[in-house]
Amino acid sequence: MKLVSTIFKYLEKRSLYTTSTMAKSKFEYVKNFECDENLLPNCWIVVRVDGKSFHKFTTKHSFKKPNDSQALWLMNKAASVVMDEFKDILLSYGQSDEYSFVLRKDSMLYNRRKTKIMTYINSLFSSAYVFFWNEYFPDVKLKYPPSFDSRVVLYPSDENLRDYLSWRQADCHINNLYNTVFWALVQKGHLTNTEAEQRLCGTFSSDKNEILFTEFNTNYNNEPLMYRKGTILIRKKIKSPKSGKNKIIILPLHEDLIQDQFWKKNFEILEIQATQFYDWPPELEIPEFVKKQFKIETN
Amino acid sequence: MKLVSTIFKYLEKRSLYTTSTMAKSKFEYVKNFECDENLLPNCWIVVRVDGKSFHKFTTKHSFKKPNDSQALWLMNKAASVVMDEFKDILLSYGQSDEYSFVLRKDSMLYNRRKTKIMTYINSLFSSAYVFFWNEYFPDVKLKYPPSFDSRVVLYPSDENLRDYLSWRQADCHINNLYNTVFWALVQKGHLTNTEAEQRLCGTFSSDKNEILFTEFNTNYNNEPLMYRKGTILIRKKIKSPKSGKNKIIILPLHEDLIQDQFWKKNFEILEIQATQFYDWPPELEIPEFVKKQFKIETN
Amino acid sequence: MKLVSTIFKYLEKRSLYTTSTMAKSKFEYVKNFECDENLLPNCWIVVRVDGKSFHKFTTKHSFKKPNDSQALWLMNKAASVVMDEFKDILLSYGQSDEYSFVLRKDSMLYNRRKTKIMTYINSLFSSAYVFFWNEYFPDVKLKYPPSFDSRVVLYPSDENLRDYLSWRQADCHINNLYNTVFWALVQKGHLTNTEAEQRLCGTFSSDKNEILFTEFNTNYNNEPLMYRKGTILIRKKIKSPKSGKNKIIILPLHEDLIQDQFWKKNFEILEIQATQFYDWPPELEIPEFVKKQFKIETN
Amino acid sequence: MKLVSTIFKYLEKRSLYTTSTMAKSKFEYVKNFECDENLLPNCWIVVRVDGKSFHKFTTKHSFKKPNDSQALWLMNKAASVVMDEFKDILLSYGQSDEYSFVLRKDSMLYNRRKTKIMTYINSLFSSAYVFFWNEYFPDVKLKYPPSFDSRVVLYPSDENLRDYLSWRQADCHINNLYNTVFWALVQKGHLTNTEAEQRLCGTFSSDKNEILFTEFNTNYNNEPLMYRKGTILIRKKIKSPKSGKNKIIILPLHEDLIQDQFWKKNFEILEIQATQFYDWPPELEIPEFVKKQFKIETN
């Protein structure tokens, strides 16, 4: 009977044969009510997670307005945990209480099962956000577990994908400009929220820049890049500032990704090529986020 | 022009008119690539969350085998947070590293949008699991953020829904019986994992009960109910042991839900009726889980 | 090697093994872009076909207004061809240029593949409509091939299904009452189409009945049942007026299906039971449609 | 109140306002059970129709084996009716009892509603097949209405689309070579069907070519192009052989579409450009199919 067992093993290996999972009970028919959708091949897969009722959440936890740097780095941290787990994510982009994850268009993660991809990323992001809370807010007690929704969108062409990311970054710009002026009017101009809203109603970008400049002596373009551009996470090879050895890390960039330049510099993403070397510009300080990945003592 | 503005307000209120969200950028067309599915009306909605790689997770965190009571109560706690947030969940059932949430068949939660319902429940469960970890494992450091997948299944009839829950409870029984014998063989019988597996290969329930009884002096039916039946969470009105006032709480039951009796006693679920009063049987101790909801000092 | 071939045959029979369809070409990967949806089990399946641009079609082929009896019988004939082919259709309901087909809720036709069910029924209906044109319009040349769209809708409960059919019959009533008055005003009242429309704008059912009665001496309730109620097709056992033997035929009924009476009389539909005997009431003439099925000479 | 009515008209025109369709009956809620899927933008849409049980159909109607030229031209005719109705179809490809229709990737036909596109094309094809039967089979009575299933597949890239069409053309080649040898063995070699099958079992293309050449003196490459390559339908501008004026017609080609040459010559398809001029090669006879479109007397 050795022949027979050899045949079965051969078949199993080639997935031509499966020992039908022993029906454990007469109730098992209910499994047929489940249905699974596979994502169309050869399309970029974008998963976006988005905070639920974060307006309330930021108030309850006294986030700094218009931007809380620590809160944004916690988002970046949670996103990096997700990227670390799912190597098919080539790039992530985050701003405010949302993060978008871009999976390679040829990804076969979970056989492209829509629900698996969407819920695992969503769950890990949520869980990591709570897990690392204390690291980013050592003095603020998390009052209740926050939650995020998640969605999957397919983009067939590189142009569609770039336009998606440009859409989110344009959204970041518009909201951040609004919020920067709004909170200047409230915090420094001593207007009520309603008064500030009314003041801004119907104004254009140029008007908002003008208010910031003339009334609050603020040049919007000097605001921190992370606030204005959001955060792009990509994998890069970097020489360790500690050991001098090359290591692949998840790099946070706060750059314009609407123009071609970003995509030329980081061609490996759209071309789905190997991780590229990144030479840290001498004038820039290496951010904590990167140092931590090299396990360098940070303060 | 007051008339005009009145008309617009009237229309807006009735959702007959929407100020088309000002196209914020030329990239906004990418929103059309999103697609949303609505769940068929008049069907029971079941959302099941399921631990990812929990075999590894339980090992890394030294969960007691075959059952870790604290780990199960943490699952129950996370599920109760979800039930508390989504009132349309009438019943939840958990066992091992999975939890099923049953939403009323007439639920209009998020307009029955499949993705919203699935991902919010999944995210909140994951986030609550981490949030309450310390409360259930004060002496065990959580080593990394765990994650869960999630799925939605529709069941058109009451019978289908009952069969679904029966399927999960039968699954609980089969796995728990197996695990109980397996770990007895390993922990008390000093077999290796492989030896225990081989010993159990091809055995029937009766064989497993026999092994437990003759070799380990254990009557399986005396094992704790929570291990054998899993946990059912339902809302009940209970007289507070503290104030004497009635309060609606989330009640954990460890009962057979395969037989009719459970569904007769708790008729309000299938009939979608008001929360019923639950009179705590004098011979039973009120579990910590319930006491906490009444904010009674517990040890 | 006889043993081996026996094993393969055994596996094939149980669908545990499939000779992987020989990859005929390197292009075959494109098959993975196809995706198939299965209809939720235990729901009534309704397929509705609906004429495309039939306003133009009826004009081009000079259909009688407001109702062309022959055109309706052609629809009934095409529907009966569909019912004859797909035995899982328990009942069909047609009115105007649409037909609804109700498949038993436990149907496993094409494994409940949505697209297969929808397109086969649609195609056969369309093809039969053209095929039998000459039989119903021997003197009218079909000028171009008509077409129909089709959709699938699931109804989880008997009540939902009845309400669906009631909805279509109520629609038939409303449209037919309107059309009956409209064409009376145009054909007998010598109004233009626009004048007739204006006359009817804002009128209630009672007004329309009144116009018919006072101006055209017509009692709407005396209009032919097929026009007012549409056509229900169900399978019944009937004694052949020719041979005296029982035969299962597709029976056209023009009855109210909104009230309970219809569903009590024809209980076999909702209860998915065997075809029932139908005793033709002596006062009713057996319609041509039935005679044809018994191959009785008709004039 | 003129202002108000102006506002409403303005809103209606911009689809910002809809007079909520008057609920005609209490049953209308059942409409909510319908659900519509939109096809992902920026993907090529392929609709393929496929004959149901055509093996039986060809036998019942005595189609010539291995190929019935008239039957293939009837398929081509039905496909051209579909292309004529839906201008977004840029190319169609047919072989045996199937036809594929390629819609431009930017098509907004029926707002890209999957079901509408799939069922209208399917219905019109089926209906046209019956409608034109007599024209192609004047001496064969159609015995029963044939039917076709239909499916929609999306292809994100030009390469995927070309591979899809190559797959179908490779399929045409493989089947036609097989059928050509099979029927030679049966018709000229006087084998039974089973004997011919056994003879061909396990043979390669080269073997089949060899059999044809040595046993039946047939060079497969001299078989008619339509049988070996199938039929490609594309729109071209052609000088009328009758009036000398240019006219856009649907042109049948029997060419290799796997190689680049076809796509270079007919660049307008993938580039979605205007219909190109086609200069009929002098050595080729203009097919009946084209003459008919110019309403030239044909025999």
Short mmCIF file of all heavy atoms in Angstrom, two decimals, chain C residues 8-31:
data_model
loop_
_atom_site.label_atom_id
_atom_site.label_comp_id
_atom_site.label_asym_id
_atom_site.label_seq_id
_atom_site.Cartn_x
_atom_site.Cartn_y
_atom_site.Cartn_z
N PHE C 8 -8.06 6.87 -8.42
CA PHE C 8 -8.35 8.12 -9.12
C PHE C 8 -9.84 8.24 -9.43
O PHE C 8 -10.44 9.30 -9.25
CB PHE C 8 -7.53 8.21 -10.41
CG PHE C 8 -6.16 8.76 -10.16
CD1 PHE C 8 -5.08 7.92 -9.89
CD2 PHE C 8 -5.94 10.13 -10.16
CE1 PHE C 8 -3.83 8.43 -9.66
CE2 PHE C 8 -4.67 10.64 -9.92
CZ PHE C 8 -3.60 9.79 -9.66
N LYS C 9 -10.42 7.13 -9.88
CA LYS C 9 -11.84 7.18 -10.22
C LYS C 9 -12.68 7.47 -8.99
O LYS C 9 -13.63 8.25 -9.03
CB LYS C 9 -12.27 5.83 -10.85
CG LYS C 9 -12.04 5.86 -12.35
CD LYS C 9 -12.61 4.65 -13.04
CE LYS C 9 -12.07 4.59 -14.47
NZ LYS C 9 -11.74 3.22 -14.86
N TYR C 10 -12.31 6.87 -7.88
CA TYR C 10 -13.01 7.09 -6.61
C TYR C 10 -12.95 8.57 -6.21
O TYR C 10 -13.94 9.19 -5.84
CB TYR C 10 -12.37 6.21 -5.53
CG TYR C 10 -12.86 6.50 -4.14
CD1 TYR C 10 -13.99 5.87 -3.62
CD2 TYR C 10 -12.19 7.41 -3.34
CE1 TYR C 10 -14.43 6.14 -2.34
CE2 TYR C 10 -12.62 7.69 -2.05
CZ TYR C 10 -13.75 7.05 -1.57
OH TYR C 10 -14.17 7.34 -0.31
N LEU C 11 -11.74 9.11 -6.34
CA LEU C 11 -11.54 10.51 -5.94
C LEU C 11 -12.32 11.46 -6.86
O LEU C 11 -12.95 12.40 -6.41
CB LEU C 11 -10.05 10.87 -6.00
CG LEU C 11 -9.15 10.16 -4.98
CD1 LEU C 11 -7.70 10.49 -5.27
CD2 LEU C 11 -9.52 10.58 -3.57
N GLU C 12 -12.27 11.16 -8.16
CA GLU C 12 -12.97 12.00 -9.12
C GLU C 12 -14.47 12.03 -8.84
O GLU C 12 -15.09 13.08 -8.84
CB GLU C 12 -12.73 11.47 -10.53
CG GLU C 12 -11.78 12.34 -11.34
CD GLU C 12 -11.61 11.83 -12.74
OE1 GLU C 12 -11.54 10.60 -12.90
OE2 GLU C 12 -11.55 12.65 -13.66
N LYS C 13 -15.00 10.85 -8.58
CA LYS C 13 -16.42 10.72 -8.31
C LYS C 13 -16.84 11.58 -7.11
O LYS C 13 -17.90 12.18 -7.10
CB LYS C 13 -16.72 9.26 -7.97
CG LYS C 13 -17.86 8.67 -8.79
CD LYS C 13 -17.81 7.19 -8.66
CE LYS C 13 -19.15 6.53 -8.70
NZ LYS C 13 -18.97 5.10 -8.45
N ARG C 14 -15.99 11.62 -6.12
CA ARG C 14 -16.28 12.38 -4.91
C ARG C 14 -15.80 13.83 -5.03
O ARG C 14 -15.76 14.56 -4.05
CB ARG C 14 -15.60 11.74 -3.71
CG ARG C 14 -16.24 10.44 -3.28
CD ARG C 14 -15.60 9.91 -2.03
NE ARG C 14 -16.56 9.24 -1.16
CZ ARG C 14 -17.34 8.22 -1.52
NH1 ARG C 14 -17.29 7.78 -2.73
NH2 ARG C 14 -18.17 7.68 -0.65
N SER C 15 -15.36 14.21 -6.26
CA SER C 15 -14.88 15.57 -6.54
C SER C 15 -13.71 15.96 -5.65
O SER C 15 -13.50 17.12 -5.34
CB SER C 15 -15.98 16.61 -6.37
OG SER C 15 -17.07 16.28 -7.14
N LEU C 16 -12.99 14.96 -5.17
CA LEU C 16 -11.83 15.29 -4.34
C LEU C 16 -10.60 15.46 -5.21
O LEU C 16 -9.55 15.89 -4.77
CB LEU C 16 -11.58 14.17 -3.32
CG LEU C 16 -12.68 14.01 -2.28
CD1 LEU C 16 -12.47 12.74 -1.48
CD2 LEU C 16 -12.71 15.23 -1.36
N TYR C 17 -10.74 15.09 -6.47
CA TYR C 17 -9.59 15.18 -7.36
C TYR C 17 -10.06 15.63 -8.73
O TYR C 17 -11.07 15.17 -9.23
CB TYR C 17 -8.92 13.80 -7.47
CG TYR C 17 -7.98 13.69 -8.63
CD1 TYR C 17 -6.72 14.31 -8.56
CD2 TYR C 17 -8.33 13.01 -9.79
CE1 TYR C 17 -5.85 14.22 -9.63
CE2 TYR C 17 -7.46 12.92 -10.85
CZ TYR C 17 -6.22 13.53 -10.77
OH TYR C 17 -5.36 13.45 -11.82
N THR C 18 -9.36 16.53 -9.32
CA THR C 18 -9.70 16.95 -10.68
C THR C 18 -8.43 16.94 -11.52
O THR C 18 -7.42 17.48 -11.10
CB THR C 18 -10.23 18.39 -10.71
OG1 THR C 18 -10.85 18.66 -9.47
CG2 THR C 18 -11.16 18.62 -11.86
N THR C 19 -8.48 16.31 -12.65
CA THR C 19 -7.36 16.45 -13.56
C THR C 19 -7.29 17.91 -13.92
O THR C 19 -8.17 18.42 -14.61
CB THR C 19 -7.58 15.62 -14.84
OG1 THR C 19 -8.97 15.69 -15.15
CG2 THR C 19 -7.15 14.18 -14.69
N SER C 20 -6.27 18.59 -13.40
CA SER C 20 -6.17 20.03 -13.65
C SER C 20 -6.26 20.25 -15.14
O SER C 20 -5.50 19.70 -15.90
CB SER C 20 -4.83 20.56 -13.15
OG SER C 20 -3.79 20.11 -13.99
N THR C 21 -7.29 21.01 -15.57
CA THR C 21 -7.48 21.26 -17.00
C THR C 21 -6.15 21.69 -17.57
O THR C 21 -5.58 22.69 -17.17
CB THR C 21 -8.50 22.39 -17.22
OG1 THR C 21 -8.14 23.44 -16.33
CG2 THR C 21 -9.91 21.92 -16.96
N MET C 22 -5.65 20.89 -18.48
CA MET C 22 -4.36 21.16 -19.09
C MET C 22 -4.27 22.62 -19.51
O MET C 22 -5.09 23.10 -20.29
CB MET C 22 -4.20 20.27 -20.34
CG MET C 22 -3.99 18.80 -20.03
SD MET C 22 -2.24 18.52 -19.67
CE MET C 22 -1.59 18.59 -21.36
N ALA C 23 -3.32 23.33 -18.99
CA ALA C 23 -3.14 24.72 -19.38
C ALA C 23 -2.89 24.74 -20.88
O ALA C 23 -1.89 24.23 -21.35
CB ALA C 23 -1.97 25.34 -18.64
N LYS C 24 -3.86 25.27 -21.64
CA LYS C 24 -3.75 25.19 -23.08
C LYS C 24 -2.79 26.25 -23.61
O LYS C 24 -2.26 26.13 -24.69
CB LYS C 24 -5.12 25.35 -23.72
CG LYS C 24 -5.98 24.09 -23.58
CD LYS C 24 -7.37 24.34 -24.12
CE LYS C 24 -8.23 23.10 -24.01
NZ LYS C 24 -9.63 23.41 -24.28
N SER C 25 -2.60 27.34 -22.88
CA SER C 25 -1.71 28.38 -23.37
C SER C 25 -1.27 29.24 -22.21
O SER C 25 -1.84 29.20 -21.14
CB SER C 25 -2.44 29.23 -24.41
OG SER C 25 -3.47 29.98 -23.78
N LYS C 26 -0.23 30.01 -22.47
CA LYS C 26 0.32 30.87 -21.41
C LYS C 26 -0.64 32.02 -21.09
O LYS C 26 -0.41 32.78 -20.17
CB LYS C 26 1.68 31.42 -21.83
CG LYS C 26 1.59 32.29 -23.08
CD LYS C 26 2.90 33.01 -23.39
CE LYS C 26 2.78 33.66 -24.78
NZ LYS C 26 3.87 34.59 -25.07
N PHE C 27 -1.69 32.16 -21.89
CA PHE C 27 -2.62 33.27 -21.68
C PHE C 27 -3.69 32.93 -20.64
O PHE C 27 -4.45 33.78 -20.23
CB PHE C 27 -3.30 33.64 -22.99
CG PHE C 27 -2.34 33.91 -24.10
CD1 PHE C 27 -2.33 33.14 -25.25
CD2 PHE C 27 -1.39 34.93 -23.98
CE1 PHE C 27 -1.43 33.39 -26.27
CE2 PHE C 27 -0.48 35.18 -25.00
CZ PHE C 27 -0.49 34.41 -26.15
N GLU C 28 -3.73 31.66 -20.26
CA GLU C 28 -4.87 31.20 -19.48
C GLU C 28 -4.99 31.87 -18.11
O GLU C 28 -6.04 31.81 -17.48
CB GLU C 28 -4.80 29.68 -19.33
CG GLU C 28 -6.19 29.07 -19.33
CD GLU C 28 -6.20 27.68 -19.94
OE1 GLU C 28 -5.14 27.22 -20.42
OE2 GLU C 28 -7.28 27.07 -19.92
N TYR C 29 -3.93 32.55 -17.67
CA TYR C 29 -3.99 33.23 -16.37
C TYR C 29 -5.13 34.24 -16.33
O TYR C 29 -5.62 34.59 -15.26
CB TYR C 29 -2.65 33.93 -16.06
CG TYR C 29 -2.49 35.26 -16.77
CD1 TYR C 29 -2.89 36.45 -16.15
CD2 TYR C 29 -1.97 35.34 -18.05
CE1 TYR C 29 -2.76 37.67 -16.79
CE2 TYR C 29 -1.83 36.54 -18.71
CZ TYR C 29 -2.23 37.71 -18.08
OH TYR C 29 -2.12 38.92 -18.71
N VAL C 30 -5.55 34.74 -17.49
CA VAL C 30 -6.60 35.75 -17.51
C VAL C 30 -7.92 35.25 -16.93
O VAL C 30 -8.78 36.05 -16.57
CB VAL C 30 -6.84 36.31 -18.94
CG1 VAL C 30 -5.60 37.01 -19.46
CG2 VAL C 30 -7.27 35.21 -19.89
N LYS C 31 -8.06 33.93 -16.87
CA LYS C 31 -9.27 33.37 -16.26
C LYS C 31 -9.42 33.79 -14.81
O LYS C 31 -10.53 33.86 -14.28
CB LYS C 31 -9.24 31.84 -16.31
CG LYS C 31 -10.11 31.24 -17.38
CD LYS C 31 -10.35 29.75 -17.21
CE LYS C 31 -11.58 29.43 -16.40
NZ LYS C 31 -12.83 29.99 -16.93
#
